[in-house]
Amino acid sequence: MGTESYTYMGRSLSELSMDDDSSSSSAFSDCNSDRSGEFATASSQTRRFLIACAAENSDDLIRQLVADLHSASVDDQKQAAMEIRLLAKNKPENRVKIAKAGAIKPLISLISSPDLQLQEYGVTAILNLSLCDENKEVIASSGAIRPLVRSLSKGTVTAKENAACALLRLSQVEGNKAAIGRSGAIPPLVSLLGSGGFRGKKDASTALYSLCTVKENKMRAVKAGIMKVLVELMADFESNMVDKSAYVVSVLVAVPEARAALVDEGGVPVLVEIVEVGTQRQKEIAVVILSQLCEDSVAYRTMVAREGAIPPLVALSQSGTNRAKQKAEKLIELLRQPRSGNAATRTSEVVA
């Protein structure tokens, strides 16, 4: 096979394409592997690597690259991490081989490097290895979570985005979710959701959607100010983040503190507007959130009704998806119930 079959900078490595992985929800884009830019130069060494990458037997190459991760030379470490990253990205079967060759612990060490580029390469290689289910528990048990959280807080833009994706992948092991939250991941993810670029916001929302299925992480997210960020994103129909933000809200409002924060941050009128003018999927998830909000609180029912929710809910009950119709009908019935002023008849939503 000749080298002309591969284009490095053009990324036309057709024979090295990666299998797609399903995302946590249809509202979220896949976080399959790193989407960072390629490296500035393609050395003869790198071109040889790409050819070897396509070969059937890459075991010798992998062993050499793992050895190079232990080099005293930062440049050698960068080259090895870069090539491991590409091997893991483009050939799924290599992910297990690389892990079994002992790459995970030295790559985790690189994540703590003071050299930001080396740190970024380490994060990105770990992300690509974490795409393999067999590697997830090994990566977490080898001590990757805290270094990834530090990179999420202090790394380059690309390192932050890829760290968020790596933490998402590790969170797909249920037992890792609480550990990731305890390691301090929630506040920097909320920060990335609020101030990151579009890709950063998507990666952060997807990670938070997964992590916040655990109650302790819901509480951490509320304390980190997530609801203000989510309401602002839901209100911005040009952000392309309405669906993703609403799905995260739907997970959070299972706890009363999140419901109170949603109301305090002006979430009710935003949700009513989504029911009125959003897409079918946006309308459906908005109704789900409003139903959760109103289920046990007369005060919140009154607030939702006063925001003019009933007319768009009636329209949705006649023209929405089957699930949206059912949810809208139940919410209309709830809102039309007599709203007693007796405080004893409602569940308090006030958080001490």
Side-chain angles (χ1 to χ4, degrees):
M1 183 179 295
T3 58
E4 64 273 14
S5 300
Y6 301 93
T7 302
Y8 179 62
M9 294 301 290
R11 297 301 298 127
S12 60
L13 305 177
S14 57
E15 294 185 26
L16 308 182
S17 62
M18 183 190 65
D19 293 339
D20 289 335
D21 295 275
S22 61
S23 60
S24 298
S25 163
S26 60
F28 297 99
S29 59
D30 287 349
C31 189
N32 287 329
S33 67
D34 67 280
R35 290 158 284 168
S36 50
E38 294 305 335
F39 299 90
T41 59
S43 65
S44 59
Q45 181 181 0
T46 299
R47 285 192 290 271
R48 287 196 301 272
F49 157 72
L50 288 170
I51 296 170
C53 190
E56 290 299 321
N57 187 355
S58 55
D59 292 1
D60 290 343
L61 172 62
I62 289 171
R63 280 192 291 270
Q64 182 57 54
L65 292 174
V66 173
D68 289 345
L69 290 175
H70 296 279
S71 171
S73 165
V74 171
D75 288 340
D76 288 349
Q77 288 179 315
K78 285 181 181 179
Q79 183 72 18
M82 178 195 77
E83 296 183 0
I84 286 173
R85 163 206 159 181
L86 290 173
L87 270 172
K89 177 176 181 176
N90 294 310
K91 295 204 77 176
E93 59 268 33
N94 283 334
R95 295 168 192 157
V96 174
K97 290 182 181 180
I98 292 167
K100 288 184 175 178
I104 289 175
K105 286 191 175 180
L107 285 171
I108 292 171
S109 296
L110 299 189
I111 299 176
S112 299
S113 169
D115 186 305
L116 290 179
Q117 188 180 54
L118 184 57
Q119 179 188 124
E120 179 183 311
Y121 291 0
V123 168
T124 307
I126 287 292
L127 162 60
N128 291 350
L129 291 175
S130 73
L131 303 180
C132 171
D133 289 341
E134 190 173 332
N135 290 342
K136 289 181 173 69
E137 289 192 25
V138 179
I139 291 170
S141 65
S142 296
I145 292 174
R146 288 191 182 278
L148 285 170
V149 171
R150 285 195 298 270
S151 189
L152 181 62
S153 300
K154 300 178 181 178
T156 65
V157 171
T158 298
K160 288 179 179 180
E161 293 168 348
N162 288 342
C165 279
L167 290 168
L168 163 66
R169 288 295 175 174
L170 296 183
S171 76
Q172 290 168 349
V173 175
E174 191 66 26
N176 289 338
K177 292 182 180 181
I180 292 170
R182 286 195 302 269
S183 296
I186 302 299
L189 282 171
V190 171
S191 178
L192 184 62
L193 179 65
S195 60
F198 180 54
R199 186 201 152 184
K201 289 178 187 295
K202 290 198 298 181
D203 293 341
S205 66
T206 310
L208 287 162
Y209 178 79
S210 175
L211 290 167
C212 288
T213 58
V214 174
K215 182 179 179 180
E216 307 91 89
N217 289 340
K218 289 179 174 69
M219 301 300 295
R220 292 182 178 107
V222 172
K223 289 178 181 177
I226 192 173
M227 206 57 77
K228 181 177 189 297
V229 176
L230 291 172
V231 170
E232 289 174 353
L233 289 172
M234 287 194 301
D236 183 0
F237 285 88
E238 302 299 318
S239 69
N240 200 26
M241 287 292 298
V242 176
D243 306 55
K244 298 171 185 63
S245 302
Y247 272 93
V248 178
V249 172
S250 73
V251 171
L252 292 170
V253 292
V255 297
E257 292 85 355
R259 296 194 290 272
L262 175 63
V263 171
D264 290 345
E265 296 297 343
V268 170
V270 170
L271 289 165
V272 171
E273 183 181 14
I274 292 173
V275 174
E276 188 170 6
V277 301
T279 66
Q280 285 298 321
R281 183 166 68 181
Q282 290 166 359
K283 290 178 180 182
E284 182 177 309
I285 189 60
V287 171
V288 168
I289 296 167
L290 287 170
S291 297
Q292 290 172 288
L293 192 65
C294 293
E295 186 174 10
D296 294 320
S297 172
V298 171
Y300 290 166
R301 289 178 211 166
T302 302
M303 189 179 299
V304 170
R306 286 176 178 171
E307 285 295 336
I310 290 179
L313 284 170
V314 170
L316 185 61
S317 70
Q318 297 169 351
S319 62
T321 64
N322 288 336
R323 183 170 184 250
K325 287 178 181 179
Q326 293 172 358
K327 291 289 184 180
E329 288 170 358
K330 289 181 180 179
L331 182 54
I332 291 166
E333 183 180 349
L334 196 60
L335 294 177
R336 284 177 170 166
Q337 288 178 2
R339 294 188 287 273
S340 170
N342 183 359
T345 66
R346 60 183 171 88
T347 300
S348 174
E349 298 290 342
V350 178
V351 180

